[in-house]
Amino acid sequence: MTYTSKEMMAVAAARLIQNDDIVFCGTGISMLAAMAAKHISAPHATIFFETGAIGSQLEEVPLAVGDPRVMYRTAMNGSLLDSFACMQNRHTGKHVIGILGAAQIDRFGNLNSTVIGDYDHPKVRFSGSGGAADVASFVPRSIIFMQQEKRKFVKKVDYLTSPGWLGGGRDREAAGLCQGGPWLVITNMAIMGFDDTSKEMYLKACFPGVTPDDVLANMGFAIDIERADVTPEPTLRELSILREQCDPQRLILG
Amino acid sequence: MTYTSKEMMAVAAARLIQNDDIVFCGTGISMLAAMAAKHISAPHATIFFETGAIGSQLEEVPLAVGDPRVMYRTAMNGSLLDSFACMQNRHTGKHVIGILGAAQIDRFGNLNSTVIGDYDHPKVRFSGSGGAADVASFVPRSIIFMQQEKRKFVKKVDYLTSPGWLGGGRDREAAGLCQGGPWLVITNMAIMGFDDTSKEMYLKACFPGVTPDDVLANMGFAIDIERADVTPEPTLRELSILREQCDPQRLILG
Amino acid sequence: MTKDDGNKAMHLSRAIQDLVEDGSHISIGGFTINRNPMAAVYELIRQKKRNLHLYAHSNGQGVDELVGAGVISKLEIAYGGSGRFAPTCIRFKKAVQEGSMAVEDYSNFQMTLRFLAGALGVPFLPTRSGMGSDILARWGFSKEVRSSDPKLPDKKAVVMDNPFGDWAETSKVVLVPAIRPDVTIIHAQKAATDGTVRIKGLTFADVEQAKAAEHVIVTCEELVEPDDLRDNADLNNLPPFCVDAVCHVPLGAYPTACYGYYDYDPKYLKAYAGFAREEDSFLGYLEKFVFGIDSHERFLALIDPEQLKNIEADPRTGYAPNLDRT
Amino acid sequence: MTKDDGNKAMHLSRAIQDLVEDGSHISIGGFTINRNPMAAVYELIRQKKRNLHLYAHSNGQGVDELVGAGVISKLEIAYGGSGRFAPTCIRFKKAVQEGSMAVEDYSNFQMTLRFLAGALGVPFLPTRSGMGSDILARWGFSKEVRSSDPKLPDKKAVVMDNPFGDWAETSKVVLVPAIRPDVTIIHAQKAATDGTVRIKGLTFADVEQAKAAEHVIVTCEELVEPDDLRDNADLNNLPPFCVDAVCHVPLGAYPTACYGYYDYDPKYLKAYAGFAREEDSFLGYLEKFVFGIDSHERFLALIDPEQLKNIEADPRTGYAPNLDRT
């Protein structure tokens, strides 16, 4: 079967979503993952956007979280305040899975989406946090989509936009953040988890055809590869849902 | 012309309301005053209730601020949060006139609507603040409706529910409250103001047929009566609006 | 709690049985004589719940009946009144004067902010309301009571200097602690089986009260399919995941009003005020209208059908014009 | 400002002229590629406003055009992106990299709370967001800049121990300061001449942004009589007294979307991204699309009518299904 790494990434994330989950979606591939999950295994999962759209039915893939497509037949049209409050609130927040992306990540899942270089005189400026720092602060489980590149997996992020496990161990708790934090990193090559105790990143699974060494060769720091297994290929059904029902125009799949 | 003291009170308050005012109404006579003002001199004044009803059109007089009659053809149906925020907000709050009532008042316009006697073992329990303490805290001008009785005009309130000028002078500012505060007290006999500097209550005007000594005889403390004039009687037009358009069932006028 | 298909519709008696325990901290929606979840109030009384901790702002009729029936041991409230029918709620007044129930007083805005703090998931919110008042100076629940109950914050409120200097022309603020009820019960005009809620007219603080709670019970005039409320989501007030139980109870706010459906019943409220005045007559009232029957349907059967007709809302105004309210 | 009869309808150019001065602190509504008040953005550029201090959360297209045109000297923002058309807003990116504009970074929720604080009339609000991040550690505006500007709070944010112990399982909170714009500009589907505003679909943070401001300008697709919006006040978002000027500007959010009326224009946004890449082509773009004409109507006359037809919203979905968005 042929499929792209983007398709594998979307399917790998979709498989993780359950019926009781409230899925916070950012722009891009995370929307496809949530759309696919609703069709594959979690029809009752709630897709929601920081813009305030709760329970979006998504007939077409939105190109931004502010796309009017997120408003189609929602259960509620709220506001930014409503959507972030739903994550900060511990009753509803505990059901939320956040899906994030970033320009840089370190071994504790701290994310940078603000600048490369010095903050006061940046070499490259990115969009900034948006809701990412909020999601990372509130949500018990977050999935991070990354491209597997040395310059993106760095020893120290240039700017810590979204708190991950900070310095590891119980650092989040000490900082005053909620329990829980980065759950998985999904790249174009593999899936990484975080150790229960040290909170350090480790290799959880390679995509078919990728070796642990391939992954290490594309990171700026070393991680434990002893626990790695292999991610099952996308099934025909998964691919057809993704291609035919979620993104027939291939706006995000490319 | 014959009229009741309740009618005089409602008319006296209605005359104070201008087109730019946002009038916060409590239960009872304050609603009549606002309704009458809209018909007499201030058609563009906004009537609003702590329940969240903004710009109520009031075809029938409500018997409580939670009465569904307050929802008729409003400009907006908000929430408690919206209505109190509108008063605490300094842009909108500066236009608000609050109309309050109480069981006890002191010479600085501090109000008690909570208990008579000791708070821990009250002789009489009343409804409590409701929104009164909030209105008294936020609003630059408030009108207080009272019955002119010795046991209601007291040297010291048994419980300070709604802050007036506190101990007088610049006490409000020192406590952290907004500038402005009690503006006028309207009773069944007279209208009292508060001195610009000392913030002490003084007699501003007697109702027709009432003497300053009558007023003093029905208060538990002495006030300056040197500045008093006489309130003009309700006009025929004022009375007919009040009786025919505002409260034809005499639910509040009695 | 929810069935696999996401259907949360259930009988009110079961919802109350499953979600409210003796000692629970609860809050009820509505305002004075409007949209009180009265069917649920009567069910709480009927099931003889005890030692409930009740949070309200200006809920009148519901609070008074719960207090009168001995369901409530602690009450946090801003206002206990039912408009012209009972300027101070009668059983509430008696309970406080007799010292049979502990009361903590706040203002309406403070209570609203406390629910909002719970909804937002923060421990407190700031306001400029109440400085210099006895609401801040006097505590209804002592330090000891507070520190012995893990469900209560250890302070009634905190006055703090503005940490941003005089930003927003504010030298000091009052911080009021979040309310985190175990259960909030509200009555809405429409709800869907998945838990979506649509309130018509003023929402009071129902939305904040619901979001602050761990569990939410919604009674509704009309129970509809989820798809029916997706036609205009701008009108919806709570998303499905905030709600645990949806109970179809027509006239579920009676004898208080439900905008667009029916007015409050002045006759009932006046009669209630009469019953509430004395212990014996109040117990007789409860016997007849609550304990003697087993559902809101049977309760409504005790009311003169002519009067139920009189209070029907007309579509233009949302209430019953020219209703005899004397 | 308002006429005696309460009529606030006026031409957009006059509203901008009267209410926005050089150096004003402003905020604009909308989100990334949706309901940005673009007609007002172009008018601000056309009137050559300078040294504006701009507050935004995730406003994309509006922010980028204002920044590119040199209108903004200081920006407080959570996100500068326009979805797939410009993952990072292009002129914004250049201005920050070149240091031609000072930027203070917050998160979306922090910005929302800051607007809400302004709306509520309190100096700050608490959150649990951002602890341990550089958003709190690094300030874009120095202490000196802050203390020299009376319109700015003296701190970016304050981390504080929870004064209620560990109430709400919270040991610390972040306090973020209120935003108090001189003027907020939003675009709505409907507004009445008295200032009542009705937004269809998501409101983003428009309501909080408007309430936080001293003055509010609303552009709208449809200008109606006040009575027309009183049919269902549950759908209204701002009461008249919050609004200073109501300006009838059909397609006033174009090239961004306006739910129920039109979609964003992918062609325009893609072309814009091309123009924005270089200084010269961007100046040429401004010359043609902003300075070369005198109104939004004329601006729309420059757009292919076929494409305006393509982006018309269909009634069922509120957007333009099957629009070519490649």
Side-chain angles (χ1 to χ4, degrees), chain D residues 50-68:
Chain D
R50 285 294 176 270
N51 290 314
L52 298 193
H53 186 113
L54 179 60
Y55 303 95
H57 40 86
S58 290
N59 177 294
Q61 190 63 19
V63 165
D64 203 49
E65 302 216 26
L66 286 173
V67 167

Side-chain angles (χ1 to χ4, degrees), chain D residues 24-88:
Chain D
S24 283
H25 284 224
I26 71 163
S27 87
I28 58 175
F31 197 100
T32 57
I33 51 173
N34 205 322
R35 223 164 28 66
N36 284 220
M38 294 306 300
V41 163
Y42 294 130
E43 189 60 33
L44 287 164
I45 296 172
R46 194 175 292 122
Q47 292 189 19
K48 295 205 163 67
K49 300 291 179 188
R50 285 294 176 270
N51 290 314
L52 298 193
H53 186 113
L54 179 60
Y55 303 95
H57 40 86
S58 290
N59 177 294
Q61 190 63 19
V63 165
D64 203 49
E65 302 216 26
L66 286 173
V67 167
V71 172
I72 309 301
S73 62
K74 289 202 193 74
L75 175 65
E76 306 194 32
I77 197 167
Y79 186 85
S82 293
R84 192 162 155 280
F85 304 99
T88 303

Side-chain angles (χ1 to χ4, degrees), chain A residues 177-201:
Chain A
L177 291 168
C178 84
Q179 291 181 306
W183 178 29
L184 295 168
V185 182
I186 300 180
T187 77
N188 47 317
M189 300 178 84
I191 300 178
M192 274 78 104
F194 295 89
D195 183 80
D196 281 348
T197 311
S198 72
K199 306 302 183 190
E200 274 198 68
M201 194 185 290

Side-chain angles (χ1 to χ4, degrees), chain B residues 112 114-125 158-159, chain C residues 93-105 134-135 137-145 156:
Chain B
N112 172 16
T114 304
V115 292
I116 297 293
D118 176 42
Y119 179 62
D120 293 323
H121 304 91
K123 213 159 70 181
V124 185
R125 169 75 204 201
D158 288 4
Y159 180 97
Chain C
K93 184 185 193 100
K94 283 201 194 296
V96 181
Q97 289 173 188
E98 285 165 7
S100 62
M101 177 184 64
V103 178
E104 188 69 278
D105 278 288
D134 280 334
I135 292 177
R138 304 295 306 265
W139 291 13
F141 306 159
S142 66
K143 258 203 168 92
E144 294 66 45
V145 166
K156 181 178 183 180

Side-chain angles (χ1 to χ4, degrees), chain D:
Chain D
M1 197 161 21
T2 314
K3 292 167 213 141
D4 275 350
D5 60 357
N7 189 337
K8 296 167 182 171
M10 64 178 81
H11 199 280
L12 175 60
S13 63
R14 201 197 119 200
I16 298 285
Q17 212 151 37
D18 287 2
L19 293 170
V20 183
E21 297 171 13
D22 286 355
S24 283
H25 284 224
I26 71 163
S27 87
I28 58 175
F31 197 100
T32 57
I33 51 173
N34 205 322
R35 223 164 28 66
N36 284 220
M38 294 306 300
V41 163
Y42 294 130
E43 189 60 33
L44 287 164
I45 296 172
R46 194 175 292 122
Q47 292 189 19
K48 295 205 163 67
K49 300 291 179 188
R50 285 294 176 270
N51 290 314
L52 298 193
H53 186 113
L54 179 60
Y55 303 95
H57 40 86
S58 290
N59 177 294
Q61 190 63 19
V63 165
D64 203 49
E65 302 216 26
L66 286 173
V67 167
V71 172
I72 309 301
S73 62
K74 289 202 193 74
L75 175 65
E76 306 194 32
I77 197 167
Y79 186 85
S82 293
R84 192 162 155 280
F85 304 99
T88 303
C89 285
I90 299 165
R91 301 311 300 176
F92 158 78
K93 185 186 192 99
K94 282 200 195 296
V96 181
Q97 289 173 188
E98 286 164 9
S100 61
M101 177 184 64
V103 178
E104 188 68 277
D105 278 288
Y106 285 94
S107 71
N108 261 343
F109 190 41
Q110 289 168 346
M111 287 303 285
T112 304
L113 289 173
R114 296 183 64 207
F115 287 120
L116 179 62
L120 290 175
V122 288
F124 62 84
L125 282 174
T127 172
R128 295 188 282 105
S129 179
M131 285 178 286
S133 77
D134 279 334
I135 293 177
L136 298 186
R138 303 296 306 266
W139 291 13
F141 305 159
S142 66
K143 257 201 168 91
E144 295 66 44
V145 166
R146 290 182 167 277
S147 60
S148 70
D149 187 343
K151 286 188 182 177
L152 288 182
D154 59 1
K155 300 184 188 90
K156 180 179 184 180
V158 170
V159 176
M160 178 177 90
D161 286 340
N162 181 357
F164 295 91
D166 62 351
W167 183 238
E169 293 103 57
T170 299
S171 59
K172 295 174 195 178
V173 289
V174 179
L175 309 180
V176 289
I179 293 175
R180 314 176 71 208
D182 297 311
V183 186
T184 285
I185 310 173
I186 64 171
H187 182 73
Q189 282 87 350
K190 286 189 183 176
T193 51
D194 66 351
T196 310
V197 174
R198 181 179 293 183
I199 294 170
K200 198 176 154 67
L202 301 175
T203 56
F204 307 127
D206 284 23
V207 174
E208 293 77 16
Q209 288 178 261
K211 290 183 176 171
E214 187 172 356
H215 299 292
V216 175
I217 300 172
V218 179
T219 59
C220 58
E221 294 298 323
E222 294 188 53
L223 179 66
V224 300
E225 289 302 312
D227 254 8
D228 296 338
L229 295 188
R230 288 181 184 264
D231 61 336
N232 188 355
D234 293 0
L235 289 169
N236 298 346
N237 304 98
L238 285 174
F241 55 67
C242 286
V243 174
D244 297 90
V246 181
C247 313
H248 185 213
V249 190
L251 282 152
Y254 180 89
T256 71
C258 188
Y259 185 66
Y261 286 71
Y262 46 90
D263 218 320
Y264 48 85
D265 183 354
K267 265 197 192 158
Y268 189 101
L269 295 174
K270 235 163 45 181
Y272 172 86
F275 291 130
R277 216 156 285 137
E278 299 301 330
E279 195 64 24
D280 279 356
S281 57
F282 186 71
L283 290 177
Y285 162 82
L286 287 183
E287 205 42 63
K288 174 171 175 197
F289 288 98
V290 186
F291 294 118
I293 48 172
D294 64 358
S295 70
H296 202 64
E297 219 178 331
R298 299 274 173 108
F299 165 69
L300 294 170
L302 299 178
I303 314 299
D304 176 10
E306 192 60 35
Q307 181 64 359
L308 292 182
K309 188 104 194 109
N310 291 339
I311 64 168
E312 271 178 18
D314 96 309
R316 187 182 68 88
T317 57
Y319 55 82
N322 303 314
L323 177 65
D324 180 3
R325 297 183 289 150
T326 49

